[in-house]
Amino acid sequence: MPDVVLPCLDEAGALPWVLSRLPDGYRAIVADNGSTDGSAQIAADHGATVVHVPQRGFGAAAHAGLEAATADVVCFCDADASMDPQQLPRVVGPVEAGEADLVLGRRRPSSRGAWPPHARVANTALSILMRRRTGLRLHDLGPMRAARRADLLALGITDRRFGYPLEMVTKASDAGWRIRELDVDYHPRADGTKSKVTGTVLGTAKTVRDMSRVLSR
């Protein structure tokens, strides 16, 4: 069964729900990136494998979780309750069936407030640039995704900041991977949590900067 990497920074308010929603047999790997709200202990108390990642950065946490995984297929999912882990089999299925090498969850907001306007505009702009770079008809850089662990490690992803998810896609495209996009629901984050990527205009600007650097390579 798949391992699920959950990059985490101060997600105490969301983790109990997120971890309770994992499908049977899926193992949670919480890659804690220096939380100060007890997230790591909460994750451990709910049965997750906790990896402590001292190097700050979304990519650092995500990659440490990938390295700690042992399953053949590895998923990634945000830990802020904006995505329902019960939908992970949607992105895992085509990989396990050999129909795709990388499956991305295209976020479909469940309500108006789920996706702030500034973040949606930035995602659209980056998606256009990504399509020009790869030739793939992709619409989102969604955080829910799945692929085979050994193949992901072989890509040699080097970004350890917000550019990590995009570099995964560009390197997979360059390697000739079959990349597929499927719809997943996108909800408002849990109370008491804030997205480090889209929660503020500054966070979104930093993400655009990091991803633009990836696209310029």
Side-chain angles (χ1 to χ4, degrees):
M1 297 298 288
D3 284 340
V4 184
V5 175
L6 297 153
C8 174
L9 178 58
D10 295 331
E11 305 289 5
L15 280 171
W17 183 84
V18 170
L19 295 173
S20 73
R21 297 288 293 174
L22 285 176
D24 290 343
Y26 282 52
R27 180 173 72 120
I29 300 175
V30 173
D32 188 75
N33 206 201
S35 297
T36 59
D37 66 349
S39 288
Q41 187 60 54
I42 290 171
D45 290 345
H46 283 77
T49 297
V50 178
V51 178
H52 296 278
V53 188
Q55 180 184 354
R56 296 302 286 266
F58 177 84
H63 201 73
L66 173 62
E67 291 178 328
T70 56
D72 177 35
V73 175
V74 176
C75 319
F76 295 85
C77 184
D78 279 353
D80 58 10
S82 62
M83 313 189 88
D84 186 352
Q86 282 286 311
Q87 296 185 349
L88 283 167
R90 293 187 190 179
V91 297
V92 168
V95 176
E96 289 187 328
E99 299 167 356
D101 302 306
L102 173 63
V103 179
L104 309 173
R106 181 183 182 183
R107 289 170 287 185
R108 295 294 195 176
S110 62
S111 66
R112 262 186 154 177
W115 206 346
H118 63 271
R120 192 181 300 215
V121 169
N123 185 75
T124 299
L126 286 167
S127 296
I128 291 171
L129 293 174
M130 180 174 61
R131 289 199 292 269
R132 291 176 181 171
R133 165 67 173 77
T134 65
L136 299 169
R137 297 297 299 171
L138 300 175
H139 303 83
D140 188 15
L141 298 171
M144 184 181 283
R145 50 185 62 194
R148 297 193 182 276
R149 177 181 182 272
D151 294 340
L152 285 172
L153 290 172
L155 289 177
I157 302 170
T158 60
D159 192 281
R160 294 296 180 264
R161 295 175 59 86
F162 293 128
Y164 186 89
L166 178 58
E167 187 181 359
M168 183 187 295
V169 176
T170 57
K171 287 200 167 182
S173 175
D174 291 345
W177 285 24
R178 297 165 299 167
I179 301 175
R180 185 173 174 183
E181 191 175 62
L182 297 172
D183 289 351
V184 295
D185 296 332
Y186 193 51
H187 307 287
R189 290 164 181 78
D191 290 342
T193 67
K194 178 184 288 187
S195 171
K196 290 72 186 174
V197 179
T198 62
T200 66
V201 173
L202 179 59
T204 299
K206 289 180 178 178
T207 303
V208 171
R209 177 199 63 194
D210 291 348
M211 291 188 175
S212 296
R213 288 174 179 170
V214 170
L215 288 167
S216 66
R217 293 175 188 170

